[in-house]
Short mmCIF file of all heavy atoms in Angstrom, two decimals:
data_model
loop_
_atom_site.label_atom_id
_atom_site.label_comp_id
_atom_site.label_asym_id
_atom_site.label_seq_id
_atom_site.Cartn_x
_atom_site.Cartn_y
_atom_site.Cartn_z
N VAL S 28 -45.40 51.05 -29.80
CA VAL S 28 -46.39 51.36 -30.84
C VAL S 28 -46.82 52.83 -30.79
O VAL S 28 -46.66 53.55 -31.78
CB VAL S 28 -47.62 50.43 -30.72
CG1 VAL S 28 -48.68 50.81 -31.75
CG2 VAL S 28 -47.20 48.97 -30.89
N PRO S 29 -47.34 53.33 -29.65
CA PRO S 29 -47.69 54.77 -29.63
C PRO S 29 -46.47 55.67 -29.80
O PRO S 29 -46.57 56.75 -30.38
CB PRO S 29 -48.34 54.96 -28.25
CG PRO S 29 -47.88 53.82 -27.43
CD PRO S 29 -47.70 52.68 -28.38
N LEU S 30 -45.33 55.23 -29.31
CA LEU S 30 -44.11 56.02 -29.45
C LEU S 30 -43.77 56.21 -30.92
O LEU S 30 -43.45 57.33 -31.37
CB LEU S 30 -42.96 55.32 -28.72
CG LEU S 30 -41.65 56.11 -28.54
CD1 LEU S 30 -41.90 57.36 -27.73
CD2 LEU S 30 -40.61 55.22 -27.86
N THR S 31 -43.87 55.14 -31.69
CA THR S 31 -43.58 55.22 -33.13
C THR S 31 -44.57 56.14 -33.83
O THR S 31 -44.18 56.98 -34.66
CB THR S 31 -43.65 53.82 -33.76
OG1 THR S 31 -42.68 52.97 -33.14
CG2 THR S 31 -43.39 53.88 -35.25
N ILE S 32 -45.85 56.00 -33.52
CA ILE S 32 -46.88 56.82 -34.19
C ILE S 32 -46.67 58.30 -33.90
O ILE S 32 -46.73 59.14 -34.80
CB ILE S 32 -48.28 56.36 -33.74
CG1 ILE S 32 -48.55 54.94 -34.22
CG2 ILE S 32 -49.35 57.32 -34.26
CD1 ILE S 32 -49.84 54.33 -33.71
N VAL S 33 -46.41 58.62 -32.64
CA VAL S 33 -46.24 60.03 -32.26
C VAL S 33 -45.00 60.63 -32.93
O VAL S 33 -45.04 61.73 -33.50
CB VAL S 33 -46.16 60.16 -30.73
CG1 VAL S 33 -45.74 61.58 -30.34
CG2 VAL S 33 -47.50 59.82 -30.10
N ILE S 34 -43.87 59.90 -32.88
CA ILE S 34 -42.63 60.44 -33.45
C ILE S 34 -42.73 60.54 -34.97
O ILE S 34 -42.25 61.51 -35.58
CB ILE S 34 -41.43 59.56 -33.04
CG1 ILE S 34 -41.21 59.66 -31.52
CG2 ILE S 34 -40.17 60.01 -33.76
CD1 ILE S 34 -40.93 61.06 -31.01
N ASN S 35 -43.36 59.57 -35.59
CA ASN S 35 -43.52 59.64 -37.05
C ASN S 35 -44.43 60.79 -37.45
O ASN S 35 -44.18 61.48 -38.44
CB ASN S 35 -44.09 58.32 -37.58
CG ASN S 35 -44.09 58.26 -39.09
OD1 ASN S 35 -43.06 58.43 -39.72
ND2 ASN S 35 -45.24 58.03 -39.68
N SER S 36 -45.49 61.01 -36.67
CA SER S 36 -46.38 62.15 -36.94
C SER S 36 -45.64 63.47 -36.74
O SER S 36 -45.84 64.43 -37.50
CB SER S 36 -47.60 62.08 -36.02
OG SER S 36 -48.30 60.87 -36.18
N LEU S 37 -44.78 63.51 -35.72
CA LEU S 37 -43.96 64.70 -35.49
C LEU S 37 -43.05 64.97 -36.67
O LEU S 37 -42.89 66.11 -37.12
CB LEU S 37 -43.13 64.51 -34.21
CG LEU S 37 -42.15 65.63 -33.85
CD1 LEU S 37 -42.89 66.92 -33.56
CD2 LEU S 37 -41.31 65.23 -32.63
N ARG S 38 -42.47 63.90 -37.22
CA ARG S 38 -41.61 64.06 -38.40
C ARG S 38 -42.39 64.62 -39.57
O ARG S 38 -41.93 65.56 -40.26
CB ARG S 38 -41.00 62.70 -38.77
CG ARG S 38 -40.14 62.74 -40.01
CD ARG S 38 -39.92 61.34 -40.55
NE ARG S 38 -39.10 61.37 -41.76
CZ ARG S 38 -39.03 60.38 -42.63
NH1 ARG S 38 -39.73 59.28 -42.43
NH2 ARG S 38 -38.28 60.47 -43.70
N ILE S 39 -43.58 64.06 -39.84
CA ILE S 39 -44.39 64.54 -40.96
C ILE S 39 -44.78 66.00 -40.76
O ILE S 39 -44.71 66.82 -41.69
CB ILE S 39 -45.64 63.65 -41.12
CG1 ILE S 39 -45.23 62.25 -41.57
CG2 ILE S 39 -46.64 64.26 -42.09
CD1 ILE S 39 -46.35 61.23 -41.54
N GLY S 40 -45.18 66.34 -39.53
CA GLY S 40 -45.55 67.72 -39.25
C GLY S 40 -44.39 68.69 -39.43
O GLY S 40 -44.55 69.76 -40.03
N LEU S 41 -43.21 68.30 -38.95
CA LEU S 41 -42.03 69.17 -39.08
C LEU S 41 -41.61 69.31 -40.54
O LEU S 41 -41.15 70.39 -40.95
CB LEU S 41 -40.88 68.63 -38.24
CG LEU S 41 -41.07 68.72 -36.72
CD1 LEU S 41 -39.89 68.11 -35.99
CD2 LEU S 41 -41.27 70.18 -36.29
N ILE S 42 -41.76 68.24 -41.33
CA ILE S 42 -41.46 68.35 -42.75
C ILE S 42 -42.39 69.36 -43.40
O ILE S 42 -41.97 70.21 -44.21
CB ILE S 42 -41.56 66.97 -43.44
CG1 ILE S 42 -40.41 66.08 -43.02
CG2 ILE S 42 -41.59 67.14 -44.96
CD1 ILE S 42 -40.49 64.67 -43.57
N GLY S 43 -43.69 69.30 -43.04
CA GLY S 43 -44.63 70.27 -43.58
C GLY S 43 -44.28 71.70 -43.21
O GLY S 43 -44.36 72.60 -44.05
N VAL S 44 -43.87 71.91 -41.96
CA VAL S 44 -43.50 73.26 -41.51
C VAL S 44 -42.26 73.76 -42.26
O VAL S 44 -42.21 74.90 -42.74
CB VAL S 44 -43.26 73.26 -39.99
CG1 VAL S 44 -42.69 74.61 -39.55
CG2 VAL S 44 -44.57 72.97 -39.26
N THR S 45 -41.24 72.91 -42.37
CA THR S 45 -39.99 73.32 -43.04
C THR S 45 -40.21 73.54 -44.53
O THR S 45 -39.59 74.44 -45.12
CB THR S 45 -38.89 72.28 -42.82
OG1 THR S 45 -39.36 70.98 -43.24
CG2 THR S 45 -38.49 72.21 -41.35
N VAL S 46 -41.08 72.74 -45.16
CA VAL S 46 -41.39 72.95 -46.57
C VAL S 46 -42.08 74.31 -46.77
O VAL S 46 -41.80 75.02 -47.74
CB VAL S 46 -42.27 71.80 -47.11
CG1 VAL S 46 -42.90 72.18 -48.45
CG2 VAL S 46 -41.46 70.52 -47.26
N GLU S 47 -42.96 74.66 -45.84
CA GLU S 47 -43.66 75.93 -45.95
C GLU S 47 -42.70 77.12 -45.90
O GLU S 47 -42.88 78.10 -46.63
CB GLU S 47 -44.69 76.04 -44.81
CG GLU S 47 -45.42 77.36 -44.73
CD GLU S 47 -46.40 77.58 -45.87
OE1 GLU S 47 -46.72 76.60 -46.58
OE2 GLU S 47 -46.83 78.73 -46.05
N TYR S 48 -41.66 77.02 -45.07
CA TYR S 48 -40.75 78.17 -44.88
C TYR S 48 -39.50 78.10 -45.75
O TYR S 48 -38.94 79.15 -46.12
CB TYR S 48 -40.34 78.27 -43.42
CG TYR S 48 -41.47 78.74 -42.51
CD1 TYR S 48 -42.07 77.87 -41.62
CD2 TYR S 48 -41.95 80.05 -42.58
CE1 TYR S 48 -43.11 78.28 -40.79
CE2 TYR S 48 -42.98 80.47 -41.77
CZ TYR S 48 -43.56 79.59 -40.88
OH TYR S 48 -44.59 80.01 -40.07
N TRP S 49 -39.03 76.90 -46.08
CA TRP S 49 -37.75 76.78 -46.81
C TRP S 49 -37.84 76.01 -48.12
O TRP S 49 -36.84 75.74 -48.75
CB TRP S 49 -36.70 76.13 -45.91
CG TRP S 49 -36.32 77.01 -44.75
CD1 TRP S 49 -35.59 78.16 -44.80
CD2 TRP S 49 -36.68 76.83 -43.38
NE1 TRP S 49 -35.47 78.71 -43.54
CE2 TRP S 49 -36.12 77.91 -42.64
CE3 TRP S 49 -37.40 75.87 -42.68
CZ2 TRP S 49 -36.27 78.04 -41.27
CZ3 TRP S 49 -37.55 75.99 -41.31
CH2 TRP S 49 -36.99 77.06 -40.63
N GLY S 50 -39.04 75.63 -48.53
CA GLY S 50 -39.21 75.05 -49.84
C GLY S 50 -39.23 73.53 -49.87
O GLY S 50 -38.92 72.86 -48.87
N PRO S 51 -39.60 72.96 -51.02
CA PRO S 51 -39.79 71.51 -51.14
C PRO S 51 -38.53 70.68 -50.98
O PRO S 51 -38.60 69.46 -50.81
CB PRO S 51 -40.38 71.36 -52.55
CG PRO S 51 -40.00 72.59 -53.28
CD PRO S 51 -39.94 73.67 -52.26
N THR S 52 -37.34 71.29 -51.08
CA THR S 52 -36.11 70.51 -50.91
C THR S 52 -36.01 69.91 -49.50
O THR S 52 -35.27 68.95 -49.30
CB THR S 52 -34.88 71.40 -51.16
OG1 THR S 52 -34.92 72.54 -50.29
CG2 THR S 52 -34.83 71.85 -52.62
N MET S 53 -36.75 70.45 -48.55
CA MET S 53 -36.74 69.92 -47.19
C MET S 53 -37.40 68.55 -47.10
O MET S 53 -37.25 67.85 -46.09
CB MET S 53 -37.44 70.89 -46.23
CG MET S 53 -36.86 72.30 -46.23
SD MET S 53 -35.10 72.33 -45.79
CE MET S 53 -35.14 71.75 -44.11
N ALA S 54 -38.14 68.17 -48.15
CA ALA S 54 -38.84 66.88 -48.13
C ALA S 54 -38.23 65.90 -49.14
O ALA S 54 -38.85 64.91 -49.49
CB ALA S 54 -40.32 67.08 -48.45
N GLU S 55 -37.02 66.17 -49.58
CA GLU S 55 -36.42 65.35 -50.62
C GLU S 55 -34.98 64.96 -50.27
O GLU S 55 -34.33 65.59 -49.44
CB GLU S 55 -36.41 66.12 -51.96
CG GLU S 55 -37.79 66.51 -52.46
CD GLU S 55 -37.74 67.48 -53.63
OE1 GLU S 55 -36.63 67.98 -53.92
OE2 GLU S 55 -38.78 67.73 -54.25
N GLY S 56 -34.53 63.91 -50.92
CA GLY S 56 -33.12 63.52 -50.91
C GLY S 56 -32.55 63.14 -49.56
O GLY S 56 -33.22 62.61 -48.67
N LEU S 57 -31.26 63.47 -49.40
CA LEU S 57 -30.50 63.07 -48.23
C LEU S 57 -31.06 63.69 -46.95
O LEU S 57 -31.08 63.04 -45.89
CB LEU S 57 -29.03 63.49 -48.41
CG LEU S 57 -28.06 63.11 -47.28
CD1 LEU S 57 -28.00 61.59 -47.13
CD2 LEU S 57 -26.66 63.66 -47.57
#
């Protein structure tokens, strides 16, 4: 349970960081 929450939060945070630097395509598609 905590493992899932932490890793999923890490994914959301990294998506936010990559969107900030490389654009919204980092949060879409494949």
Side-chain angles (χ1 to χ4, degrees):
V28 177
L30 190 61
T31 300
I32 294 173
V33 170
I34 294 300
N35 188 56
S36 302
L37 177 63
R38 177 197 179 198
I39 292 171
L41 290 178
I42 288 176
V44 172
T45 54
V46 165
E47 175 70 15
Y48 289 109
W49 292 289
T52 56
M53 303 302 295
E55 300 170 350
L57 182 62

